[in-house]
Amino acid sequence: MKNGLLTDCILLSQVIFAQYNYPKTPENPVTDDYFGTKITDNYQWLENLKSPEVQTWFKAQSDFSHNLINTIPNRDALYQRMKQVQELGGDSYGYAKQRGNLYFYAKTKKNEKLSKLYTKDVSTGKETLVFDPETYKKDAQITDFTVDFSGNKIALLFSKSGSEICELRILDLKTKKFLNDTLSPIWSEFNFEFTPDGQYITYTKMSTGDPNSNMLLKEMKAMLHQIGTSQDKDVILGSREEYPELNILTEQFPEVSFTNDYQTMILRIGSTKSENPVFYAPISSLKDKKIKWKQIIKPSDEIVQTFISGDQLFFLTHKNAPNYKVGLTSLSNPDFDHAKVIVPESSSVITSIHSSKNYLFYSLSNGITQDKYQIDRKTLAINKIPLPGGINNSIALNARENDNLQCYNSN
């Protein structure tokens, strides 16, 4: 009896081993020297997508996966049911931005594949199609957009067939025509923003738009573009070469934005980490030949988000607080170790902060549900926001002018 059971187990293990006989992946060690630290990567050869060996490896992996997936019982029936459920849905909307009485938003209609840009008049509810990317270029998609302060121009970030490498164009909302400006290459997730007068726009420029280049996402620069001029005349606001005092690493990306009151410029040196260096300068220094950036946050401060208004510096940190806390200090003389704690750490996790004209908002999650709270920036009083059922998050529609929020489910 025992011998029979042992024999069955051996046969079963052999069947399973044969069933999951994964395609072999050769190891070809390559050692790189990163500022004195040598790191060996056995699989760097897989990064060369044009290599016949790499293409053969991918096909073998794909064939193995599909052969296994195709054995799943009732898979076709499940797929058809999922399609039926998906077709029950309606139009899908992206984040909205408000200027005056108009909401700007991207919308994908139920039976369409691409998002188009629309406006809706708050007073009348009338929806107007502003821009259809299919009229711009073949396979063009709207990745992101921002509207200038006056609501006269909109900057549209376009990708081709879902690529992360994009170009930026500026649309005159009165004439519905593009200006001559074309800015590229820009990564899809980088920030871009108009100056308060709408005459300039900040953005982060990639050093190359070649997806196969080893310089992809390296040596990037924060730029200032004067609308109506060619891109080669743009001014560098932050980079590793032109601003060596900032100690920007090759793989880091500098991003410039403005505070809600337009008094201050913020330079964030982004990376794959959430804890990044942050610098600031008065917005008047845009006229200077070179900006004198002042550092306010170091990675060791373990701060992941900030909000600045006048001399108020609110921050979200996990330093000595694994579940995070919200603090307040002075922008001109920051002291994070002795800052006023506005929201102390609790058993729930503070997941994010964002602002409106008069409030700072934060989300508090216990891992199952997420609640939203607002902080009065003048009194520092805290109140829970009674969001509608099924909604657990929000974003400001126009943080510079009002306290209106767009609410959504982040799960």
Side-chain angles (χ1 to χ4, degrees):
M1 180 71 178
K2 290 183 179 180
N3 291 336
L5 180 60
L6 178 59
T7 302
D8 290 341
C9 290
I10 292 175
L11 290 173
L12 179 61
S13 66
Q14 290 175 342
V15 170
I16 293 175
F17 179 78
Q19 182 181 3
Y20 294 99
N21 187 16
Y22 296 101
K24 293 183 179 180
T25 304
E27 295 185 5
N28 300 321
V30 175
T31 301
D32 292 309
D33 190 325
Y34 297 100
F35 307 101
T37 300
K38 294 184 178 181
I39 298 177
T40 299
D41 184 353
N42 292 328
Y43 304 104
Q44 192 177 113
W45 65 276
L46 287 169
E47 296 177 5
N48 184 8
L49 300 182
K50 294 182 177 180
S51 165
E53 291 80 5
V54 173
Q55 294 173 1
T56 299
W57 180 87
F58 270 107
K59 186 178 187 308
Q61 296 289 330
S62 177
D63 291 345
F64 175 82
S65 299
H66 282 95
N67 288 336
L68 187 61
I69 291 172
N70 290 337
T71 64
I72 298 175
N74 301 316
R75 178 173 176 268
D76 290 339
L78 176 60
Y79 174 72
Q80 293 300 323
R81 178 54 181 160
M82 290 174 65
K83 285 183 63 178
Q84 291 174 0
V85 172
Q86 188 176 33
E87 289 172 357
L88 295 175
D91 300 340
S92 61
Y93 295 80
Y95 294 140
K97 297 176 174 64
Q98 183 181 7
R99 295 294 184 272
N101 284 330
L102 292 178
Y103 290 140
F104 294 80
Y105 53 91
K107 180 177 77 170
T108 306
K109 290 187 176 181
K110 179 178 178 179
N111 297 318
E112 295 180 348
K113 295 182 179 180
L114 290 179
S115 293
K116 300 176 183 179
L117 185 69
Y118 294 83
T119 59
K120 178 169 287 189
D121 192 304
V122 178
S123 58
T124 65
K126 180 183 178 181
E127 183 180 71
T128 302
L129 174 63
V130 175
F131 186 77
D132 180 352
E134 292 181 320
T135 65
Y136 176 53
K137 287 182 180 179
K138 183 181 179 181
D139 299 325
Q141 299 178 22
I142 299 175
T143 300
D144 197 2
F145 71 92
T146 188
V147 189
D148 73 348
F149 184 73
S150 62
N152 292 325
K153 293 187 288 290
I154 185 166
L156 293 164
L157 195 64
F158 291 103
S159 68
K160 183 177 181 179
S161 302
S163 169
E164 298 284 3
I165 302 171
C166 305
E167 70 174 9
L168 186 146
R169 297 297 306 272
I170 300 172
L171 184 72
D172 186 312
L173 288 170
K174 292 181 178 179
T175 65
K176 299 296 190 297
K177 294 182 179 180
F178 279 118
L179 304 182
N180 292 329
D181 312 66
T182 300
L183 307 179
S184 67
I186 300 174
W187 193 251
S188 62
E189 298 179 9
F190 290 162
N191 177 69
F192 53 98
E193 187 173 359
F194 287 100
T195 54
D197 59 7
Q199 299 303 307
Y200 297 82
I201 192 167
T202 62
Y203 70 100
T204 298
K205 183 180 180 181
M206 301 167 64
S207 61
T208 178
D210 181 1
N212 299 312
S213 172
N214 60 7
M215 290 302 295
L216 185 68
L217 296 178
K218 296 179 181 178
E219 299 293 353
M220 292 169 279
K221 300 178 179 182
M223 309 294 293
L224 177 68
H225 172 74
Q226 183 176 6
I227 297 173
T229 65
S230 61
Q231 188 178 16
D232 58 11
K233 294 183 179 179
D234 290 356
V235 177
I236 299 172
L237 301 179
S239 71
R240 190 177 71 87
E241 183 177 355
E242 284 77 12
Y243 284 81
E245 67 275 14
L246 299 178
N247 296 314
I248 301 175
L249 301 179
T250 300
E251 296 81 7
Q252 291 180 312
F253 49 91
E255 292 184 287
V256 170
S257 61
F258 305 109
T259 55
N260 287 352
D261 55 18
Y262 279 130
Q263 295 182 17
T264 307
M265 294 190 301
I266 306 299
L267 172 65
R268 290 182 173 85
I269 310 301
S271 68
T272 55
K273 297 181 178 180
S274 300
E275 304 81 5
N276 294 301
V278 179
F279 302 78
Y280 83 101
I283 195 170
S284 58
S285 60
L286 275 177
K287 301 177 182 178
D288 297 341
K289 188 174 182 180
K290 186 174 182 179
I291 297 175
K292 296 180 180 178
W293 293 107
K294 181 179 179 181
Q295 187 165 10
I296 49 174
I297 295 174
K298 305 182 298 295
S300 58
D301 293 321
E302 298 180 23
I303 291 172
V304 296
Q305 281 184 276
T306 59
F307 171 74
I308 295 170
S309 177
D311 196 47
Q312 285 184 314
L313 171 54
F314 293 89
F315 60 94
L316 177 64
T317 179
H318 57 81
K319 191 169 187 176
N320 301 320
N323 286 347
Y324 294 83
K325 61 185 176 182
V326 178
L328 172 63
T329 187
S330 165
L331 173 65
S332 57
N333 188 28
D335 184 354
F336 299 114
D337 293 332
H338 301 91
K340 182 178 181 64
V341 177
I342 306 301
V343 184
E345 182 189 23
S346 68
S347 58
S348 295
V349 179
I350 304 174
T351 58
S352 63
I353 60 174
H354 75 84
S355 68
S356 66
K357 183 177 181 180
N358 298 297
Y359 298 99
L360 187 73
F361 299 87
Y362 67 93
S363 300
L364 196 62
S365 173
N366 61 10
I368 301 176
T369 61
Q370 182 165 280
D371 296 319
K372 200 78 173 182
Y373 295 82
Q374 69 179 25
I375 305 171
D376 188 306
R377 298 209 313 269
K378 292 182 179 179
T379 66
L380 302 183
I382 299 176
N383 291 298
K384 184 178 180 180
I385 303 175
L387 294 176
I391 301 298
N392 61 16
N393 219 327
S394 65
I395 190 170
L397 288 166
N398 188 343
R400 292 190 166 100
E401 291 189 336
N402 57 50
D403 297 312
N404 296 338
L405 301 178
Q406 177 183 4
C407 298
Y408 60 96
N409 191 327
S410 61
N411 293 332

